[in-house]
Amino acid sequence: MSNNHLSDEAIQSFLLEDSCEEVITSHLAVCADCKAKMDAYKELTFYIKKLEPETVPFNVSEIAMQKIWASEPKRSEEFGLIALLAFLIMGSFVLCYPWIKPAFRNWNTSITPFAFVTAVSISIYILADLYRQYKKKITMIFD
């Protein structure tokens, strides 16, 4: 028999799969070191099988789903707020258009829509950001 010992993988596969390869069984019969390794692996698997799975006092998936469900209404609420803000800004512009129109008369016609869209977008963003900050502070206070 050669002085080469069996690898840990070969011993483990022999032990776990109960494969009866002639080379491994003959080597284990002759080599005391590999036989000791196999006995140690047998004892280790015995104690691993005796271990009971760790139980957690709470259900992680249920907690995660509650967090997901709790965050969904906030998204739709923010979208509704942004739509309401856009509607209010557009409505106020339409109502004030007769007074605003003289200010835009001297402007180039290609710049006017760009300026209007930019002003509305910035206003919506600022108001939505203010609302988010408000909601964040409220949740920090009451949660």
Side-chain angles (χ1 to χ4, degrees):
M1 191 85 209
S2 67
N3 290 339
N4 294 336
H5 293 290
L6 295 174
S7 67
D8 289 339
E9 292 83 12
I11 294 172
Q12 290 171 10
S13 68
F14 176 76
L15 182 65
L16 296 175
E17 296 173 6
D18 293 329
S19 62
C20 293
E21 292 182 27
E22 185 63 33
V23 177
I24 295 176
T25 54
S26 62
H27 183 83
L28 288 172
V30 175
C31 182
D33 291 337
C34 293
K35 177 78 170 149
K37 269 189 190 179
M38 190 180 79
D39 291 339
Y41 280 126
K42 274 184 185 179
E43 187 175 357
L44 179 66
T45 55
F46 172 75
Y47 285 114
I48 288 175
K49 288 179 182 177
K50 279 182 66 173
L51 287 176
E52 292 185 21
E54 191 69 28
T55 58
V56 182
F58 53 88
N59 188 350
V60 176
S61 62
E62 183 179 321
I63 292 172
M65 289 306 295
Q66 287 175 355
K67 294 277 186 184
I68 291 170
W69 290 329
S71 67
E72 284 180 2
K74 292 179 184 174
R75 290 183 188 152
S76 63
E77 184 178 296
E78 286 179 7
F79 177 74
L81 175 70
I82 291 172
L84 177 66
L85 291 174
F87 181 74
L88 289 175
I89 291 170
M90 295 292 290
S92 63
F93 180 77
V94 169
L95 290 175
C96 298
Y97 184 72
W99 295 283
I100 297 173
K101 187 176 180 183
F104 289 113
R105 230 180 243 154
N106 295 334
W107 284 25
N108 186 354
T109 56
S110 63
I111 294 175
T112 304
F114 175 73
F116 174 71
V117 168
T118 303
V120 169
S121 300
I122 290 171
S123 300
I124 291 171
Y125 176 76
I126 289 172
L127 291 172
D129 189 47
L130 284 172
Y131 180 73
R132 275 192 218 114
Q133 289 177 8
Y134 165 76
K135 289 299 268 185
K136 184 177 179 182
K137 289 175 185 175
I138 290 297
T139 55
M140 286 174 57
I141 290 171
F142 293 111
D143 284 344

